[in-house]
Amino acid sequence: MSKPDLAVSIAGLRLANPLVLASGIFGTHASLMVRAARAGAGAITAKSAGTQPRSGHPNPSCVDFGGGLLNAIGLANPGAAAEVALLIETRAQLAPLGVPLIASIFADRVENFGRVAAQIAEAAPDLLEVNISCPNVASDFGEPFAGSPATAAAVTAAVRKQVSVPIIIKLAPNVPDLGQIARAVVDAGADAICAINTMPGLLVDLESGQPVLANRTGGVSGAALAPIALYAVYQISAAVDVPIIGTGGVSSGADALRMIMAGATAVGVGSAVYREGPAVFERIATEMAGWLAERDLTLDQIRGRAHGRVLWPEAPSTPPVPHAAARATIPQEHG
Amino acid sequence: MITATSGGGLGDRSDGLPRPYRVASLRQENHRTRTVILDGPVDAEPGQFCMLWLPGLDEKPFSVAAASPAAFTIAAVGPFSRAVHALAPGDRIWLRGPFGRPFQLQGRDALLVGGGYGVAPLLLLASRALAAGHRVRVAIGARGEGDLLLADGFRQLGIDPILTTDDGSQGQRGRVTEALAPLMDADPPDALYACGPHGMLAALADLAGKHRVPAQLSWEAYMRCGIGICGSCEQDGLLLCADGPVLVDDPVLREERS
C-alpha cells in the first residue's frame, strides 16, 4: 500500500495535487498566494481582474450564515495594469515551489473580455480563468455571460482569439442546461471548465427587515453549495471531455473525492480556507491520499465513477438468496 | 519575527450574522470621540473587534472597548461614525463578531501603550490584567491635550497613566516611545501590549526588542469584510482581521530566525 500520487494535469500543466485555491480568497496579494502554495495548494487562482480598478460593493459585503458564506465583494480589483504586476511578482515566487498560477479575468462586454485577456496574458500565467459567472455585478454589467450558450461561447471565442495560454471558463450553477453551455464553450475553444461560481442568495435581517448585504443579494459559497456543485460537475462531465475544476463547498478529503467521482479533474477550495486557514490544503490532500491508499486506488480509477452504475446480478428465481449474503459475494463493477 | 497569536484556523467563526442591540447610553470621551454603550454583552477578549452595522448606511470594524455590556469607543471621522454619535438611547445598532485574535496575557507585569484612538481596546485589557493579578502600567500618547483618550477610565481602575503629547500641552512633550525608554531601562515589564499608529508600533517593537521584552502589537488596517475574505487588510502575508489584529513580536524568536 504505497502513498498514492495525487498529481493531475490540466491542459498539459502538471499540478502536484488536485487542490486549487479558488478565485476570491487570498488572491489579492503575492504574499497570500505564496502562503496558500506553501500550505499545500496544487495551483493558485488570483482574484478576478478587469480592465479598470474597481472598489467593489459597500459593506456588509460578506457574512457567514452558518451553512456557508454569502458575499457580494463585487469584483474589487486593482485593474489589469496593476494585476499584471501582481501576477508577475506572484509567478516568480510560486515558480520555485512548483505551483502553477491561474490568472482570472472578468469584463463588462464580450470584446472587453478579449482586451483584458490580452493584457493579462502579458504576465504569462500558466492558465487563464475567464469569470463569466459572478452573480454580484448585474447592476453594473447585466446578467452573467454564463447564462446562455451563445453569450458564453462568444466570450470564450473572444478570449481564444487574443491569447494562446490555455483558458478555463468559469460557469454558473443557475442555468437551465449546463451541459449545453459546457459544449458551447468547449466548441468555442475552452481548454477546461471551472464549475461552479457562487449561487445567487439573499439573507434578510429579521429586526430591520433589510437584506444583510449592502448589495442586497450575494453569492452563496461553502457547504450549502456542495451538492449543487457536484450536480454541475456531473452534468458538465457527461457533456464534454475537457478537464473540470470542481469548485463549491469542498472542505474535506471526502468532499474532494466526491468531486472527482462526479467527473472533476481538479478541485477548487475557497470558503474552507476562510473557515480553517490555508492549512486546509494539507489536511484535504492527506485525507484524499489516505482514502485512496486504504483501497489501493488512484485518482484516475475513481474519476467519473458516479456516472457508472453498480451491476447486481439478476436475482435467482429459486431458491431465494438472503440479500445480505448475496451482497457479500457479488463483485461490484464501477463505470 | 512577527507571528499570529496561537489559536486554531483563522479564528472562531460561530458568530456569523449581525445581531441587533440597542444603545443604552453614550459617553463623550474627548472633543471627537464617544463611547457607545449597548444593552447587552459581547463575548469578546481584549484586542478583538466587532463589525457595527447600521442598515442602509454602512458596516465598519471597531475594537471592543468593554464586553459586558458591549461598548465601543468611536471617533467621528466619517459618515458612519458620525451617525453612531448621533444615535440616542433606545436606538438600534447591529453587530457581528467578535473577530480576530486578542491580546494574550504573558507573565505578571504588563505595560500597555496606546497612541491616538489606539487606546480604545486597552481599557478592557487593563481590567482583565488587573483581575488576573498583574501589575499594570499604562502610557497614553496623543497629538495634543484634547486628543488624549480614556485617561480617566484607567484612573478609575486605580492606574495613573503616563501621558505624552506631541505639543506638550499635557504630560510629557514628545512621542510616547521616548517617554518609555527610561522605564524600559529601569523596570521593564514581562510584556508590552500596544495599539496605535504603525510608526508608534514599529518604534515600540524596536524598543521592546532591545530589552528582550515580547511585544503584542495591535495593527490598525482598513478591514473591509472583517473575516479574512477580501484581502484588504493584508500585511506581510497575514490578514490582520483574521490572523491579527494582535501580532506577537517576540525578540527571542526574532534572533532565532535572523
Side-chain angles (χ1 to χ4, degrees):
Chain A
M1 191 172 84
S2 62
K3 195 167 185 263
D5 182 14
L6 292 181
V8 297
S9 158
I10 298 175
L13 186 72
R14 182 183 182 276
L15 281 59
N17 71 63
L19 304 177
V20 177
L21 174 73
S23 187
I25 181 166
F26 274 58
T28 51
H29 294 78
S31 60
L32 293 170
M33 290 188 262
V34 168
R35 185 175 162 194
R38 285 191 200 286
I44 300 294
T45 316
K47 186 156 172 63
S48 300
T51 53
Q52 298 302 314
R54 264 180 74 90
S55 55
H57 295 311
N59 261 359
S61 53
C62 185
V63 297
D64 180 343
F65 62 91
L69 297 169
L70 186 75
N71 94 79
I73 299 289
L75 293 174
N77 82 97
E83 183 73 9
V84 166
L86 169 65
L87 292 169
I88 289 171
E89 180 193 359
T90 306
R91 199 167 57 89
Q93 294 181 37
L94 290 180
L97 305 173
V99 177
L101 175 62
I102 306 172
S104 182
I105 57 164
F106 71 90
D108 56 347
R109 297 203 306 268
V110 169
E111 57 271 28
N112 285 342
F113 271 98
R115 194 167 300 155
V116 67
Q119 276 179 284
I120 293 297
E122 289 169 25
D126 295 294
L127 299 167
L128 180 66
E129 176 187 272
V130 184
N131 178 2
I132 59 170
S133 46
C134 178
N136 299 325
V137 288
S139 54
D140 298 345
F141 299 165
E143 289 307 311
F145 295 93
S148 84
T151 52
V155 170
T156 307
V159 172
R160 177 77 294 158
K161 211 166 72 182
Q162 292 292 328
V163 300
S164 56
V165 59
I167 56 182
I168 306 164
I169 303 296
K170 186 160 187 176
L171 296 182
N174 48 319
V175 298
D177 189 341
L178 253 175
Q180 207 187 343
I181 291 170
R183 274 192 296 272
V185 301
V186 170
D187 288 347
D191 299 284
I193 287 172
C194 178
I196 50 181
N197 212 313
T198 55
M199 180 81 187
L202 175 73
L203 290 167
V204 175
D205 174 68
L206 198 58
E207 202 60 38
S208 63
Q210 286 295 296
V212 172
L213 296 187
N215 187 54
R216 308 189 86 79
T217 63
V220 175
S221 65
L225 199 60
I228 300 168
L230 274 177
Y231 170 82
V233 168
Y234 185 83
Q235 295 293 325
I236 294 165
S237 65
V240 294
D241 277 334
V242 299
I244 301 165
I245 303 174
T247 304
V250 170
S251 67
S252 69
D255 292 336
L257 291 164
R258 288 185 191 107
M259 276 291 191
I260 289 168
M261 289 179 178
T265 294
V267 179
V269 182
S271 298
V273 179
Y274 147 78
R275 214 166 276 285
E276 189 174 331
V280 72
F281 289 107
E282 180 75 39
R283 180 176 63 76
I284 294 178
T286 302
E287 288 171 5
M288 293 175 81
W291 191 92
L292 292 168
E294 272 174 30
R295 290 154 183 82
D296 201 21
L297 288 168
T298 66
L299 287 176
D300 282 338
Q301 286 172 321
I302 66 161
R303 182 166 301 109
R305 180 179 269 197
H307 291 272
R309 295 193 186 274
V310 178
L311 298 181
W312 299 91
E314 298 278 326
S317 47
T318 59
V321 179
H323 187 68
R327 177 171 293 176
T329 57
I330 294 167
Q332 296 184 19
E333 274 185 36
H334 301 284
Chain B
M1 66 282 192
I2 293 183
T3 52
T5 55
S6 61
L10 290 178
D12 178 11
R13 265 59 184 281
S14 54
D15 271 338
L17 292 170
R19 306 185 298 280
Y21 285 72
R22 285 188 196 281
V23 174
S25 61
L26 288 134
R27 188 174 63 227
Q28 191 79 30
E29 303 291 1
N30 68 20
H31 66 102
R32 64 199 265 160
T33 307
R34 288 180 187 175
T35 297
V36 55
I37 301 157
L38 307 186
D39 65 345
V42 60
D43 186 15
E45 296 296 318
Q48 290 189 297
F49 67 95
C50 291
M51 302 295 288
L52 297 187
W53 179 43
L54 295 174
L57 185 61
D58 206 345
E59 186 197 46
K60 297 272 187 190
F62 294 96
S63 59
V64 176
S68 187
F72 301 86
T73 299
I74 296 171
V77 295
F80 183 81
S81 47
R82 284 196 294 270
V84 173
H85 278 211
L87 293 174
D91 285 350
R92 282 282 187 209
I93 186 167
W94 285 251
L95 74 79
R96 59 190 175 111
F99 299 118
R101 298 189 183 200
F103 291 110
Q104 292 178 347
L105 291 172
Q106 290 174 274
R108 308 286 297 167
D109 187 336
L111 174 60
L112 280 51
V113 186
Y117 308 125
V119 186
L122 297 183
L123 205 51
L124 179 60
L125 178 62
S127 62
R128 294 282 170 89
L130 288 172
H134 285 235
R135 176 194 186 197
V136 180
R137 287 173 287 174
V138 174
I140 301 173
R143 274 194 215 120
E145 182 179 17
D147 303 307
L148 283 166
L149 202 54
L150 300 176
D152 281 341
F154 291 106
R155 290 184 190 114
Q156 283 166 20
L157 293 176
I159 302 164
D160 188 22
I162 300 162
L163 305 179
T164 69
T165 50
D166 295 351
D167 62 5
S169 53
Q170 195 176 339
Q172 299 183 40
R173 177 191 293 270
R175 302 284 173 167
V176 69
T177 37
E178 296 158 16
L180 288 176
L183 179 153
M184 292 292 286
D185 283 332
D187 187 6
D190 292 336
L192 184 152
Y193 311 82
C195 183
H198 281 215
M200 184 195 91
L201 296 186
L204 284 172
D206 285 345
L207 181 65
K210 217 161 61 185
H211 292 82
R212 301 180 60 80
V213 169
Q216 296 190 21
L217 308 175
S218 178
W219 297 87
E220 295 177 341
Y222 172 59
M223 290 171 189
R224 188 167 157 225
C225 77
I227 58 174
I229 305 289
C230 75
S232 63
C233 62
E234 186 271 353
Q235 178 176 303
D236 300 331
L238 298 174
L239 293 166
L240 286 175
C241 70
D243 298 309
V246 177
L247 302 178
V248 179
D249 190 338
D250 190 313
V252 178
L253 287 178
R254 181 193 285 225
E255 282 168 19
E256 283 172 1
R257 290 178 194 177
S258 63

